[in-house]
Amino acid sequence: MASSSTTPGGAGSRPPALRDRMRQAMRAEVAEVAIRLFAEQGFDGTTVDRIAAEAGLSRASLFRHFGTKEDIVLGHLEGYGHALAEALAARPEGEPPWTALRRAFDVIIRDEEESPERTLRLLRMLCETPSLRARHWEKQLHWQTLLVPEVSRRLGVDPADAQDPRAHALVGAALACLDAAGAAWLACDGATPVSVLLDRAMETLAA
């Protein structure tokens, strides 16, 4: 779905910000189609060709925007990693790293609580689909690499010191709390706000 014109200033050219918004909108539309099909037929029972056809794309076009079938559902998590890192870096100086991590997670929590039904559908698919869980874990490992340097800085630790586990331990534990809160939120079918559940999980380790 790329523009047919690549000439700067040509009739078909658009500002990069506009192209980015169009690309994001297209990706979101394809994800919605895929999630609907997965709900109807199951993740393994839905082919990439079917998703592409329903979305009005060729298979090749779909794979230009999504690296894998799993990324159609989880591709948005890549952006979360950078948003989390930015939110963490923006927290006040002197704020304890654990508190700063909790507040950085509000980036995710806000989106989940704004679209609870969609997020709960995604969580159910994660629980039911091993390949999605594995891909989700890969993306969380990437989040960890993005968050560790700032936590290290706040701890006064050299992020290049592989013998000091403190920053990795804090980030890994915080992400585990995020997963635990999501599992509890799914178990109660969204009855308790996920922000409350995350607070409970992280406060337990802070006690």
Side-chain angles (χ1 to χ4, degrees), residues 50-68:
R50 176 67 188 279
I51 296 168
E54 289 276 339
L57 299 171
S58 69
R59 179 186 178 93
S61 293
L62 187 144
F63 277 123
R64 278 199 295 269
H65 294 281
F66 300 95
T68 67

Side-chain angles (χ1 to χ4, degrees), residues 1-189:
M1 297 186 65
S3 170
S4 59
S5 172
T6 58
T7 305
S13 65
R14 297 184 178 89
L18 178 57
R19 286 200 299 270
D20 288 344
R21 290 197 299 272
M22 292 177 65
R23 183 172 182 270
Q24 290 167 5
M26 186 280 298
R27 285 170 62 93
E29 183 177 340
V30 173
E32 287 300 323
V33 168
I35 290 169
R36 173 175 58 79
L37 291 173
F38 295 153
E40 294 171 356
Q41 305 172 10
F43 183 84
D44 292 332
T46 304
T47 65
V48 170
D49 288 336
R50 176 67 188 279
I51 296 168
E54 289 276 339
L57 299 171
S58 69
R59 179 186 178 93
S61 293
L62 187 144
F63 277 123
R64 278 199 295 269
H65 294 281
F66 300 95
T68 67
K69 181 179 173 183
E70 288 76 15
D71 283 340
I72 299 174
V73 177
L74 301 177
H76 66 289
L77 296 182
E78 196 72 34
Y80 272 140
H82 295 285
L84 285 171
E86 291 174 4
L88 181 62
R91 297 303 304 167
E93 286 294 329
E95 186 173 61
W98 191 248
T99 303
L101 283 165
R102 169 60 191 90
R103 296 274 60 93
F105 286 159
D106 285 337
V107 169
I108 296 176
I109 298 301
R110 281 194 299 268
D111 283 354
E112 290 184 344
E113 292 188 337
E114 284 177 5
S115 306
E117 292 183 3
R118 183 180 189 278
T119 305
L120 287 168
R121 287 202 305 271
L122 290 176
L123 287 173
R124 289 190 189 97
M125 275 195 288
L126 277 176
C127 289
E128 296 167 358
T129 312
S131 63
L132 281 176
R133 289 200 302 274
R135 189 63 172 153
H136 182 257
W137 174 242
E138 288 177 13
K139 290 186 180 294
Q140 281 204 341
L141 286 177
H142 180 58
W143 291 2
Q144 187 160 339
T145 66
L146 295 173
L147 296 174
V148 161
E150 175 61 17
V151 172
S152 295
R153 187 188 70 79
R154 289 172 179 266
L155 290 171
V157 173
D158 180 358
D161 183 359
Q163 298 182 55
D164 193 321
R166 286 176 290 173
H168 287 275
L170 278 176
V171 174
L175 290 173
C177 287
L178 187 64
D179 285 343
W185 194 47
L186 179 60
C188 72
D189 200 28

